[in-house]
Amino acid sequence: MQANRFLIAALPVAAIAVAAAPGAYAVEYLSVGAALKLMFPDATDFAPVSLALTIEQLRDLDARIRPSGGARVPRVIEVRRDGREIGRVYLDGVIGKTELIDYATAIDADGRVRQVEILTYRESHGYEVRNPRWRQQFVGKGVTTPPALGDGIANISGATLSCRHLTDGVRRLLMLHAADAAART
Amino acid sequence: MRRAQPWLGTFVEIDVDLDDTQLAGIAMGSAFERIGSIHAAMSYHSPDSDLSRLNRAAAGVAIRVDADTWTVLCMAAELHADSDGLFDCAIAGTLVLEGLLPASGGVESGSGTQAGIELPEPGVVRKHCSSHLDLGGIAKGYAVDAAVAVLQRFGITSGSVNAGGDMRVFGPVPRPIHVRDPREPSRLLRLADLQDAALATSGGYFVRRDTGTAKSALVDPFRRQCVATDASVSVLAPTCLLADALTKVVALSGDVYHPLLAARGAQALWLGAETTVRHQGRQARIAG
């Protein structure tokens, strides 16, 4: 299962500490409608469809791959151009660290990932200062929240935890997409 | 208009001030594509990337890489020389030994430094020893700069690109940079206003592994060891590449007045109760 335009691999990066935007806790990036238009600008029709997979088949799939960011039944939008299917968009959510990240994954007619867009991000975006010493400057002695060491910090893959879960989510959608295509025929 | 996509092992957010949402969408799409191609060229993990081909290459063999990779390697070489070897991308061998990067392509122990990388002509790289590179300390900043350049080519005069904390803002409007107040997560503390500048931060180097031991992805290139520092270093610089790279120089030297900062029009902010630097992890093998 290859995601050509969405590379699973990641550059190792330093941990992140600073916030860019105020109120970055629930950022709404795109509406579903805007995302669909961005991902398939030449489409003439977006039609919600159901998965051909049964819930049991879906469960079997998830039992095999054990998704790290939580397993949901995605919403599926069939993308058409003049009546012909040119791709699908899966509207899915993964648990980042603690909160749900809504994202849209566009898959081409040939089964490859075309684009991934974050729709809503409810987490702190990795902006919070992760350094416990640094936090202590503000927290003082009364702190009861344990510093989340290693939580979301650049690690083996260099990816933050949220990003890794999203990557796993896209990988799951690709498998689901292939299984669903098989179930349709 | 704001969008985010997963790239570079993090979420990349692009924000542009433009009323024409269609043009904004196209410009942002192009900027994301640019980031995606830089990711593809310089990913450590992707076996087809320029970087992986270079890491697999034998000493003395000329490798052709794309213009982005070559440019980043040139900048890395410059910063390596100007920091007297403190900034060094040829530390992937240590990260592999520490278990922080997977061993890939049969390269276990590149022991050479950045100085062993020759850039004889544009697009061509030659290793003179078994250097094993990781561009994580510079490529993210480069990708942010490249994305900003794309947006500006589309005529966008004000916006920001943020790759998980490595960010650059451009345009006439200063943008406030906030950190989260740990006492009150719904509140943000204003750190600075950024205008036509970049900011990168290295911090929280402790990485809790399954074993319960802490490791760090910051490598002291002289000792060939991972360094754990309690501090968080932020660098403000004209470009995100410089900000990204210079955080390593400051974190490793412990010097917020490192001469390279002023020479490059940058300044550093050291956030941390302690400035002690602890070394840990087993000694990396250094081939004779």
Side-chain angles (χ1 to χ4, degrees):
Chain A
M1 203 57 59
Q2 276 290 337
N4 278 4
R5 298 211 35 218
F6 182 80
L7 291 157
I8 305 301
L11 295 170
V13 295
I16 294 112
V18 181
Y25 313 111
V27 186
E28 253 190 67
Y29 288 107
L30 289 172
S31 68
V32 169
L36 292 175
K37 282 205 195 81
L38 271 172
M39 296 171 121
F40 287 99
D42 52 349
T44 51
D45 187 22
F46 298 100
V49 293
S50 315
L51 286 172
L53 289 173
T54 63
I55 199 79
E56 285 77 23
Q57 288 171 313
L58 203 57
R59 251 187 232 131
D60 285 348
L61 183 87
D62 285 332
R64 278 210 312 279
I65 60 174
R66 302 205 300 159
S68 58
R72 300 158 64 82
V73 182
R75 281 168 62 199
V76 190
I77 311 286
E78 196 173 281
V79 185
R80 299 175 193 143
R81 184 179 161 76
D82 304 325
R84 194 170 52 87
E85 181 180 340
I86 56 169
R88 279 183 162 201
V89 175
Y90 288 87
L91 303 169
D92 191 27
V94 288
I95 305 291
K97 278 184 296 176
T98 51
E99 304 292 333
L100 199 66
I101 299 166
D102 297 321
Y103 69 104
T105 303
I107 297 182
D108 277 332
D110 55 6
R112 283 200 304 241
V113 173
R114 180 190 178 98
Q115 202 165 325
V116 178
E117 290 281 343
I118 314 292
L119 303 179
T120 314
Y121 199 109
R122 291 182 195 79
E123 308 228 12
S124 52
H125 216 302
Y127 290 152
E128 77 274 33
V129 170
R130 300 195 192 287
N131 185 307
R133 296 276 180 184
W134 198 89
R135 291 188 205 189
Q136 224 89 53
Q137 299 186 119
F138 297 97
V139 177
K141 290 190 166 66
V143 66
T144 50
T145 320
L149 281 178
D151 178 27
I153 290 177
N155 54 19
I156 294 176
S157 70
T160 60
L161 192 62
S162 309
C163 193
R164 213 163 60 225
H165 285 173
L166 183 70
T167 305
D168 289 346
V170 172
R171 197 181 289 138
R172 168 179 176 260
L173 287 180
L174 275 170
M175 296 173 110
L176 190 151
H177 180 76
D180 197 61
R184 273 192 286 165
T185 52
Chain B
M1 188 181 178
R2 248 159 138 193
R3 274 167 71 186
Q5 287 186 7
W7 291 112
L8 310 164
T10 185
F11 294 102
V12 179
E13 184 186 87
I14 299 181
D15 189 1
V16 301
D17 298 332
L18 195 70
D19 292 332
D20 182 346
T21 53
Q22 200 179 351
L23 179 61
I26 293 167
M28 291 161 107
S30 300
F32 279 125
E33 262 177 42
R34 185 85 178 85
I35 290 169
S37 77
I38 291 167
H39 178 145
M42 287 172 243
S43 166
Y44 179 89
H45 299 267
S46 161
D48 307 326
S49 69
D50 282 351
L51 183 67
S52 293
R53 288 192 299 114
L54 187 58
N55 279 339
R56 282 196 302 267
V61 178
I63 298 290
R64 199 155 273 285
V65 296
D66 80 16
D68 287 320
T69 309
W70 200 80
T71 305
V72 167
L73 288 171
C74 286
M75 285 304 297
E78 228 178 78
L79 291 165
H80 177 77
D82 290 356
S83 66
D84 297 320
L86 209 50
F87 180 83
D88 196 334
C89 290
I91 43 75
T94 305
L95 292 171
V96 170
L97 285 172
E98 292 283 358
L100 291 166
L101 279 179
S104 62
V107 185
E108 275 88 35
S109 70
S111 62
T113 71
Q114 181 109 29
I117 308 287
E118 189 203 348
L119 300 156
E121 57 179 284
V124 178
V125 189
R126 195 183 289 126
K127 297 198 293 191
H128 287 288
C129 50
S130 65
S131 300
H132 193 187
L133 296 172
D134 170 31
L135 296 174
I138 186 167
K140 199 158 63 135
Y142 177 79
V144 168
D145 290 333
V148 168
V150 169
L151 296 174
Q152 288 175 327
R153 264 207 303 282
F154 274 92
I156 290 167
T157 51
S158 176
S160 69
V161 178
N162 184 348
D166 285 3
M167 73 187 78
R168 180 158 159 195
V169 303
F170 63 100
V173 188
R175 285 168 192 253
I177 304 299
H178 292 78
V179 295
R180 208 171 157 190
D181 185 346
R183 293 167 304 189
E184 181 63 69
S186 62
R187 225 173 62 197
L188 290 162
L189 303 169
R190 195 168 177 140
L191 185 70
D193 284 357
L194 216 54
Q195 186 182 3
D196 283 319
L199 183 83
T201 302
S202 290
Y205 280 114
F206 289 106
V207 178
R208 183 80 79 192
R209 311 278 300 116
D210 296 343
T211 54
T213 56
K215 281 187 181 171
S216 138
L218 183 69
V219 175
D220 179 334
F222 301 118
R223 293 185 173 85
R224 300 250 147 205
Q225 281 178 345
C226 285
V227 170
T229 165
D230 288 344
S232 157
V233 175
S234 293
V235 171
L236 205 63
T239 69
C240 201
L241 179 145
L242 278 175
D244 193 8
L246 290 174
T247 57
K248 282 81 190 173
V249 173
V250 175
L252 285 168
S253 65
D255 183 5
V256 290
Y257 302 107
H258 193 285
L260 192 47
L261 291 166
R264 297 285 181 160
Q267 56 190 87
L269 195 62
W270 183 284
L271 307 165
E274 272 180 38
T275 52
T276 52
V277 171
R278 289 199 299 267
H279 295 274
Q280 54 185 19
R282 65 202 159 97
Q283 180 77 40
R285 274 178 291 136
I286 299 174

